[in-house]
Amino acid sequence: MESIRGLKRTDFCGSLRLSDAGREVTLFGWAQRQRDLGNLIFIDLRDRTGIVQLSFNDKTDRGVFEKAQSVRSEFVLAVKGVIKERESKNSELPTGDIEVEAAELRIVSKAQTPPFEIAKTDAVGDETTLKYRYLALRNEKLTQNIIMRHEIARIAREYFYENGFIEIETPMMIKSTPEGARDYVVPSRIQNGKFYALPQSPQIYKQLLMVAGFDRYIQLARCFRDEDLRADRQPEFTQIDLEMSFVDTDDIMETAEGFIKKLMHETLDIDIPSPLPRMTYAEAMNSYGSDKPDTRFGMLIQDISKWAKTTDFAVFRSAIDEGGSVRAIVAKNAAAVYTRKKIDKLTEYAKGIGAKGLAYIRWAEDAPACSFGKFLKDGELEALLETVGAEKGDCVFIVSGKTNLALSVLGALRLAIAKELDIIPDGKWNYLWITEMPFFEYDEESGEWVAMHHPFTMPLEECIEYLDSDKASVRAKAFDLVLNGVELSSGSMRITDCALQNKMFELLGMEQEEIDAKFGFLVEAYKYASPPHGGMGIGLDRLAMLICGAQSLRDVTAFPKMQNASELMSGAPSAIDDIQLGELGIEISAKEE
C-alpha cells in the first residue's frame, strides 16, 4: 500500500478532453481493467465522473511499468502524467480521444477479486449485487443514477428557495395516526409499552406549520410505509414535500409545474409545454381505466353498453341489467401478434385481476373471428366493428360486469397489450394532472367507505351536501401528478374548519373518543384560526427513476431493500439481544417450527 502524500488531485477522470492535451494531471480512482500487451500496458481508471485510459510504454520508468503490470481490477490508484491524443480513439467514451501517459503510479489499496465484474453488474442477480452494494455502486450507470438523484434534489431546493419557501424539518418519531398504510413503529425505552411511529408523510406537521404562519414550507422528507414492495415502491422513500397558505388548487399546481419545467430543462435539456394538461378522475377512468393513465399511446376504452343491451348475448345483457356495463378496447394491427394461444394467455391474465372472462374479436382473415359470434343476429357484429372503429388486422377485447371492475381490467390489459405490440414511444414526457378525485372509495373487503387520499382533504363545496346521503358523489379538491403512467405526486387543499374536519373523521367510521385520541391536537389547532392552505408531495425517487430511464427504484436508491423489506448488505432487519428487549419492556413470543 502506498500513501497519496504529496499528490493533490487536479482533475476528475471523466472531465478530460482533447483540449487538455499537453497538460500534466494527477488523478485518483479505481482500475476498471488492465490490458498487458507486452511492451504496452493500458489501464482504464474510473472515478464517479467516468473513465480515462492510462498508458505505459517502453519510455515509462521501469519501476512504474512493473507496478502497472501488477495492477488488477478494482485496485485504488493514484497517477500523475501528461494528457496525450490517442492513436486509437474510442468514440463510445467521452474521454475516448485522449489518454494519460503515466509518469508516476501509486497503488493506494489492493482489492481481492470482486464477486462480479463491475462493468457488467446488470448481468448479475439482485441478491449478489445487493449483498455487495458498495461494489455495484461503482458501476458507471448506477453511479450516474445516484448523481442524477442528487441533481434533482439540488434543483428542487434551488427552485423552492427562489420562490419563497422555507425548509423546515419535521419529526421522524411521531404519534401513530392512520394514513392508509401500516406504520413502522419504534418502541420507547423511557416510556415502556408506548411506541412512536415513523412518518408515512409529514402531513399533519406541515399543516400545523401553516397554522403557525410559516406560509410556504418545503422539505425533502423521508417517509416510511410498511407495505408490500414492488418495482416502484420501497419501504423508505423521499418526497419533495410542500405546503402553501392563502392559495387554491391552481396556485399549488402552477408552482409544481414551474419546478417540473426547470427540472426537465436542467437535467435533460427538454422544454415541457405549460400549462400541463388536466383530466378529471372520471375522464381518466372512463378512457384509460386508470387514475394514472399513460397517454403516450391511444387504445382508449369505449363504452359499448348501448350496442350490447340490444343483443341476445346473456353475459353482456346481465351485466347491464345488474347496473354494470360493457367496455371494449381496439388493438390496432394486433391480429398478427395475438394468435388464439396468446389470447388465451391474455384471458387468464384478465381473470387473474378480477374479470370473469374476456370476449374478443380477431380480424385476421376476410371474416373476423368472434368469441361470442353465435349469439349475435345478422348485422350486429358489423355494427359493433363500425361503432368501435375496428378494421381488418385489428383485435377487439371486451370486458363486462361492474363498471369499475371492467374499466380497471381493461386499463391493465391496455398496458399489457401496448407492451406486447411495442407501441409505447420512447422519448416522450407526458405529464398530466388528474383532478377532482373522489373523497371516498368503497372497500369491498370491509364493506366500509375509506378516504381515497387522507381525511384532511377538502371536499369540493358543491359536494358537501352529499356527505351524509351519497358518499360516492363526493369529489375532493385533490389532484395527482402523473408522468407516463406513473403517479409522481398527490396533493390537495386541506380542511381548516374544525367542525367539518371532525365530521369527516366521523364519516370514516371513527368514534369521538378515537378522534380525540388520534387527531385531537389537529382539531384543537384549528380552533385558533387557520389560513386556507394546501400542498403536495412529489416522489423524488420515482421522478429520478423515470428521468434516468431506470426500471426500478433500486436503480436510483443507494442502499435499497429487497421485496421482503430486507437489506442484504447489512442483514437488516435483525434480532436484538435480550438486554435491549428488556430495556424496552418487550418479550418475543417463540414461534413453533
Side-chain angles (χ1 to χ4, degrees):
M1 306 294 185
E2 297 177 89
S3 168
I4 60 171
R5 187 174 181 178
L7 295 179
K8 191 173 183 65
R9 173 189 268 157
T10 61
D11 299 86
F12 286 96
C13 297
S15 66
L16 302 174
R17 298 293 184 269
L18 188 57
S19 58
D20 296 305
R23 191 159 63 82
E24 185 179 71
V25 294
T26 300
L27 308 174
F28 302 137
W30 283 259
Q32 176 102 326
R33 64 170 179 160
Q34 184 251 44
R35 288 160 289 155
D36 190 341
L37 306 179
N39 61 341
L40 273 177
I41 296 174
F42 296 109
I43 295 174
D44 291 338
L45 189 69
R46 180 190 69 240
D47 64 18
R48 66 181 172 90
T49 65
I51 294 171
V52 70
Q53 178 173 281
L54 312 179
S55 66
F56 306 81
N57 53 46
D58 54 7
K59 297 179 182 177
T60 305
D61 176 86
R62 295 316 297 171
V64 171
F65 191 90
E66 289 170 4
K67 196 181 295 182
Q69 285 180 311
S70 72
V71 169
R72 298 293 177 263
S73 293
E74 301 312 311
F75 280 23
V76 176
L77 307 178
V79 64
K80 180 183 283 190
V82 176
I83 300 173
K84 299 287 182 69
E85 183 173 2
R86 279 173 67 163
E87 292 183 9
S88 179
K89 296 181 180 179
N90 183 349
S91 60
E92 295 183 4
L93 278 180
T95 61
D97 289 339
I98 55 99
E99 63 187 13
V100 176
E101 192 172 80
E104 183 177 351
L105 176 70
R106 299 185 193 180
I107 297 176
V108 180
S109 181
K110 293 183 178 181
Q112 66 182 37
T113 303
F116 51 85
E117 188 176 345
I118 302 299
K120 297 180 179 179
T121 300
D122 288 349
V124 183
D126 283 344
E127 289 201 10
T128 302
T129 56
L130 289 175
K131 182 178 179 180
Y132 298 96
R133 187 63 173 179
Y134 45 85
L135 295 180
L137 285 169
R138 294 181 187 176
N139 177 275
E140 186 175 12
K141 183 178 177 181
L142 273 179
T143 299
Q144 294 311 311
N145 285 355
I146 299 300
I147 292 173
M148 176 59 79
R149 194 179 188 281
H150 156 76
E151 283 298 299
I152 294 169
R154 177 189 63 79
I155 292 166
R157 282 196 163 97
E158 287 180 358
Y159 172 79
F160 288 106
Y161 290 172
E162 289 166 2
N163 283 275
F165 285 77
I166 301 169
E167 183 162 12
I168 305 174
E169 291 183 348
T170 52
M172 297 293 280
M173 295 194 301
I174 67 173
K175 182 184 181 70
S176 180
T177 56
E179 286 196 35
R182 295 184 191 89
D183 285 330
Y184 278 102
V185 294
V186 180
S188 171
R189 178 187 61 82
I190 297 172
Q191 299 187 47
N192 271 192
K194 293 186 178 181
F195 297 82
Y196 301 100
L198 299 180
Q200 294 184 34
S201 75
Q203 186 62 49
I204 294 176
Y205 285 96
K206 67 180 181 178
Q207 290 185 235
L208 291 172
L209 286 170
M210 297 302 102
V211 176
F214 283 96
D215 200 69
R216 290 192 166 197
Y217 142 94
I218 180 69
Q219 181 182 191
L220 269 61
R222 294 295 283 168
C223 304
F224 307 84
R225 294 180 186 174
D226 185 3
E227 54 191 357
D228 296 334
L229 305 188
R230 58 192 186 208
D232 64 347
R233 184 183 284 171
Q234 281 279 305
E236 49 187 321
F237 57 95
T238 302
Q239 65 184 33
I240 303 166
D241 199 51
L242 61 126
E243 197 80 5
M244 305 169 68
S245 292
F246 305 108
V247 294
D248 208 334
T249 52
D250 287 344
D251 301 300
I252 302 168
M253 293 159 80
E254 287 168 11
T255 299
E257 287 185 19
F259 164 63
I260 293 297
K261 285 181 68 69
K262 177 181 175 72
L263 176 71
M264 296 300 289
H265 181 75
E266 292 195 20
T267 57
L268 298 176
D269 196 24
I270 291 173
D271 291 319
I272 298 295
S274 62
L276 299 180
R278 299 185 184 188
M279 183 184 298
T280 67
Y281 174 88
E283 290 169 338
M285 292 304 299
N286 281 320
S287 294
Y288 296 92
S290 172
D291 60 357
K292 45 182 183 296
D294 191 337
T295 59
R296 290 175 295 173
F297 63 99
M299 208 190 307
L300 303 188
I301 298 172
Q302 301 182 54
D303 187 351
I304 60 170
S305 301
K306 186 177 180 180
W307 169 88
K309 70 181 179 182
T310 66
T311 72
D312 293 332
F313 188 30
V315 173
F316 291 170
R317 290 287 296 273
S318 63
I320 296 169
D321 292 343
E322 292 170 8
S325 61
V326 184
R327 309 282 173 143
I329 54 174
V330 178
K332 305 299 290 183
N333 304 309
V337 174
Y338 276 94
T339 61
R340 177 59 187 273
K341 187 176 180 180
K342 278 200 172 180
I343 291 176
D344 287 343
K345 285 186 177 180
L346 196 65
T347 301
E348 289 305 309
Y349 173 62
K351 288 180 179 179
I353 54 176
K356 291 181 179 178
L358 180 66
Y360 69 87
I361 303 166
R362 180 174 178 265
W363 198 348
E365 309 296 337
D366 290 337
C370 177
S371 66
F372 52 95
K374 64 182 179 180
F375 301 102
L376 301 181
K377 297 185 287 289
D378 288 345
E380 287 184 335
L381 178 57
E382 291 73 17
L384 174 59
L385 293 171
E386 184 177 352
T387 297
V388 298
E391 303 169 315
K392 185 177 180 180
D394 299 344
C395 286
V396 183
F397 297 103
I398 304 168
V399 177
S400 60
K402 291 183 179 179
T403 297
N404 287 344
L405 179 62
L407 290 173
S408 64
V409 169
L410 281 173
L413 291 179
R414 175 179 175 268
L415 291 174
I417 292 166
K419 290 174 183 176
E420 180 71 37
L421 298 179
D422 195 23
I423 61 171
I424 304 176
D426 292 325
K428 292 189 75 173
W429 300 90
N430 284 24
Y431 285 94
L432 174 70
W433 288 109
I434 303 297
T435 62
E436 298 187 24
M437 313 290 289
F439 186 97
F440 299 98
E441 61 180 339
Y442 188 70
D443 186 340
E444 296 281 354
E445 289 187 15
S446 66
E448 296 178 350
W449 290 93
V450 297
M452 178 171 276
H453 276 66
H454 52 65
F456 319 115
T457 302
M458 182 69 186
L460 287 167
E461 282 80 0
E462 63 265 32
C463 295
I464 291 178
E465 62 180 289
Y466 303 121
L467 287 175
D468 292 307
S469 59
D470 186 7
K471 291 186 176 67
S473 296
V474 179
R475 289 166 289 131
K477 284 190 173 183
F479 44 87
D480 285 356
L481 181 60
V482 175
L483 171 58
N484 294 350
V486 176
E487 180 191 317
L488 290 180
S489 168
S490 288
S492 70
M493 291 298 295
R494 322 303 190 187
I495 297 171
T496 55
D497 178 85
C498 57
L500 178 59
Q501 182 64 80
N502 207 74
K503 181 178 181 63
M504 300 311 289
F505 289 141
E506 290 174 351
L507 290 171
L508 292 168
M510 295 186 194
E511 299 290 340
Q512 190 61 49
E513 186 177 351
E514 182 183 4
I515 296 169
D516 292 341
K518 292 182 176 178
F519 300 107
F521 64 100
L522 178 65
V523 176
E524 176 75 11
Y526 286 154
K527 294 177 181 177
Y528 297 95
S530 168
H533 62 270
M536 60 190 296
I538 304 171
L540 190 154
D541 313 78
R542 289 186 181 181
L543 196 53
M545 179 180 76
L546 292 169
I547 287 177
C548 292
Q551 299 302 308
S552 168
L553 290 183
R554 292 180 188 176
D555 297 332
V556 293
T557 305
F559 299 101
K561 303 289 191 296
M562 292 281 286
Q563 192 168 2
N564 64 359
S566 66
E567 198 249 279
L568 296 182
M569 184 189 69
S570 68
S574 60
I576 61 174
D577 60 39
D578 291 340
I579 295 175
Q580 289 176 286
L581 288 171
E583 289 173 339
L584 296 170
I586 293 175
E587 184 176 333
I588 305 296
S589 59
K591 289 185 178 181
E592 292 185 12
E593 292 296 329

